[in-house]
Amino acid sequence: MRFGDLFEFKQPVTPSTKVVLGVAAWCLLLLGWHWAATWRGEVSPLFPGPLQVLEALRELFFERGFISDVWSSLTRIGISFALAALIAIPLGVLMGSFASVSAFFNPLVSAFRYLPAPAFIPLLLMWLGTGDEQKIALLMLGVVWFLITLVSDVTSQVPQDFIETSKTLGGSKRIVLWTVVVRSALPGIVDTCRQMMAVSWTYLVIAEIVAATDGIGAMMMRARRFVHVDEIMAGIVVIGVLGLLCDLGFRALHWWWFPYLRRRAS
């Protein structure tokens, strides 16, 4: 591929080109980070470079049992997102399929969507205490309202011709909803879950800074107390890597479940 072809409007690139460009972006980021941390000749403890953060990661994982904190955070993310999906997907499908259901729920969902999840922390602490229940509830509240809206939008985009054809062939409302509407919207629902998983990770540190004894956020707050900036940045790196792995997992699920979309793209 020629260099000029990279800047053609909406021109797809080959998988190998995607890999090369992605690796180049990360290399430039790391080089820029290293230069910014060392350009004065010595590394500041308030802005460590990538090598110092890598050493902090090694120490955290191999000497201080950081893997247990990572597992605690992963468990909270997994449980909270599963609960949010169990609520949002059925409700979003019904709202996108039936105007009456949307008219009933949409004013409530729209109002709660604009409320910041951290505003519920005092109430959750009083209702659920300082344990995992409070943190899982906060993480769930951070994504469930947006997930309902996005699933509803995806479902409403199912072509009306599909529904009318299935009704003409004698399909009941239940059959049409399950075999036509849900299955047509499912690729978009999986992609929506992938996008909202990123939002769930952004609330993790907020959920774990309040009376937490374990988790990535709790480690970062302990590091802040002793001004260990390298450990704070190490925690940020771990969250980024875990979020990327979750994103790749949803992409792989989408690729595996919907092979007809792969053929269409090719």
Side-chain angles (χ1 to χ4, degrees):
M1 177 177 288
R2 296 176 304 173
F3 180 78
D5 294 337
L6 296 176
F7 298 95
E8 291 292 337
F9 291 105
K10 297 185 177 181
Q11 180 69 28
V13 296
T14 62
S16 60
T17 303
K18 287 183 179 180
V19 172
V20 171
L21 292 175
V23 171
W26 277 106
C27 290
L28 288 175
L29 174 63
L30 292 174
L31 288 174
W33 179 8
H34 178 74
W35 176 84
T38 60
W39 71 279
R40 291 184 177 179
E42 60 181 19
V43 178
S44 169
L46 295 179
F47 187 61
L51 296 178
Q52 287 71 36
V53 172
L54 185 62
E55 173 60 23
L57 281 171
R58 187 202 63 78
E59 181 180 344
L60 285 168
F61 276 108
F62 293 101
E63 298 180 14
R64 295 167 54 183
F66 184 49
I67 189 66
S68 62
D69 290 313
V70 173
W71 179 250
S72 297
S73 295
L74 279 172
T75 302
R76 289 166 184 149
I77 288 288
I79 294 175
S80 63
F81 194 82
L83 292 174
L86 285 174
I87 296 171
I89 293 177
L91 182 55
V93 167
L94 292 175
M95 289 174 61
S97 302
F98 304 105
S100 57
V101 178
S102 179
F104 181 83
F105 283 104
N106 196 51
L108 296 174
V109 173
S110 297
F112 277 101
R113 194 170 68 243
Y114 287 96
L115 295 177
F120 290 93
I121 290 178
L123 292 175
L124 294 176
L125 286 172
M126 290 186 290
W127 292 342
L128 302 175
T130 60
D132 279 349
E133 293 83 359
Q134 174 260 336
K135 298 170 180 59
I136 291 171
L138 178 63
L139 290 170
M140 185 188 71
L141 288 172
V143 300
V144 65
W145 311 113
F146 296 97
L147 191 56
I148 291 172
T149 302
L150 292 174
V151 170
S152 175
D153 290 343
V154 168
T155 306
S156 65
Q157 294 172 10
V158 174
Q160 186 68 24
D161 291 344
F162 292 179
I163 299 173
E164 295 299 331
T165 300
S166 59
K167 289 168 63 177
T168 302
L169 294 174
S172 64
K173 288 184 179 179
R174 181 178 62 84
I175 292 176
V176 172
L177 179 64
W178 176 248
T179 62
V180 177
V181 176
V182 172
R183 296 194 179 187
S184 297
L186 194 56
I189 292 174
V190 172
D191 198 51
T192 295
C193 289
R194 177 181 66 84
Q195 297 172 17
M196 291 308 302
M197 176 61 80
V199 177
S200 186
W201 279 104
T202 63
Y203 282 107
L204 178 66
V205 176
I206 297 175
E208 292 183 340
I209 63 176
V210 180
T213 58
D214 58 357
I216 301 173
M219 182 280 294
M220 294 171 66
M221 293 307 296
R222 292 194 298 269
R224 181 195 63 84
R225 193 176 305 132
F226 298 102
V227 200
H228 292 167
V229 181
D230 54 347
E231 295 181 5
I232 296 175
M233 297 181 75
I236 294 173
V237 169
V238 170
I239 291 175
V241 171
L242 293 175
L244 178 60
L245 291 176
C246 289
D247 188 88
L248 292 175
F250 272 107
R251 289 179 183 271
L253 189 66
H254 194 282
W255 183 88
W256 179 43
W257 276 2
F258 313 114
Y260 54 91
L261 294 178
R262 302 201 305 265
R263 290 193 294 267
R264 185 183 305 172
S266 60

